[in-house]
Amino acid sequence: MRPVLTAPLLPAMALALAAAPLAGCGVNAIPTAEENAKARMADLQSQYQRRADLIPNLVSTVKAAGAQEKDILVQVTQARAGASSTQLSGDDLKDPAKVAAFQRAQGAVTVSLQRLQEAYPELKSQGNYTTLMSQLEGTENRIGIARDDYNAAVQSYNTRIRTFPDAIGARIFYGAKPMVPFAVTTPGADQHAPTVNFGS
């Protein structure tokens, strides 16, 4: 005897059949990939904030040592202020102009720290200066790792929204736009941590 479908089972079966194709269209994968990229950017911003928090201590140490060249200290302080005032939200990650402004501001800090390190060779023997520069070097390394992690998450998201079948869900349900990867664009800034040479 064949089973008889009752009226309450028909809507449930119809819903299950309708949901099956959607599962392969990125309905869940697209927001997951987007949130992952946003989380990686938050990690990167956290490392930039750590660097910004260390800079006032470095500047104070240099001032206390009686450094004569105030121009470089002013550049470091101004670069830090500019970088701290330039923030990105999750929605800004799809705006190339806002990402580029953030990159320029952070690159200016890197360049100013390199100049500070080069300008004060006599401070390298002082413990506080050495410790701070070592912490900044470690922070620059963390920034590099966080930047790479963000770019990998953005690549995954951008690939997902452009390839079948997830591209269907990305367009229909989310109107998804590509996120902007982080690339160094500041003249004089590079993708490596500033060299900290303590004369050894």
Side-chain angles (χ1 to χ4, degrees), residues 3-21:
V4 178
L5 295 177
T6 61
L9 289 178
L10 290 176
M13 288 182 61
L15 182 63
L17 289 173

Side-chain angles (χ1 to χ4, degrees), residues 143-165:
I143 287 169
I145 291 167
R147 187 170 49 227
D148 291 345
D149 289 347
Y150 167 72
N151 282 344
V154 166
Q155 179 184 13
S156 176
Y157 170 79
N158 287 347
T159 300
R160 204 172 263 288
I161 67 169
R162 291 179 176 155
T163 54
F164 183 81

Side-chain angles (χ1 to χ4, degrees), residues 22-156:
L22 293 177
C25 293
V27 172
N28 291 325
I30 300 300
T32 300
E34 183 176 12
E35 290 304 315
N36 183 46
K38 288 178 182 179
R40 299 296 72 79
M41 176 49 80
D43 292 344
L44 178 58
Q45 287 177 319
S46 175
Q47 293 305 324
Y48 281 130
Q49 184 60 51
R50 181 179 191 273
R51 178 174 71 176
D53 292 343
L54 286 170
I55 288 173
N57 294 331
L58 179 64
V59 170
S60 295
T61 300
V62 173
K63 282 182 179 176
Q68 302 300 316
E69 297 184 34
K70 294 181 181 176
D71 288 346
I72 294 176
L73 290 177
V74 169
Q75 289 174 11
V76 171
T77 303
Q78 288 175 343
R80 176 189 179 270
S84 296
S85 66
T86 305
Q87 298 296 319
L88 285 176
S89 70
D91 293 335
D92 293 339
L93 299 178
K94 297 175 185 176
D95 184 337
K98 289 182 181 178
V99 172
F102 180 80
Q103 292 173 213
R104 280 192 303 274
Q106 296 301 334
V109 176
T110 299
V111 170
S112 68
L113 287 172
Q114 288 172 336
R115 289 181 184 146
L116 176 67
Q117 196 275 330
E118 292 165 3
Y120 297 105
E122 71 279 2
L123 291 176
K124 292 175 186 174
S125 63
Q126 295 185 11
N128 287 344
Y129 183 82
T130 301
T131 299
L132 287 167
M133 288 305 293
S134 183
Q135 288 181 20
L136 284 167
E137 180 184 26
T139 300
E140 292 293 335
N141 290 335
R142 289 185 192 99
I143 287 169
I145 291 167
R147 187 170 49 227
D148 291 345
D149 289 347
Y150 167 72
N151 282 344
V154 166
Q155 179 184 13
S156 176

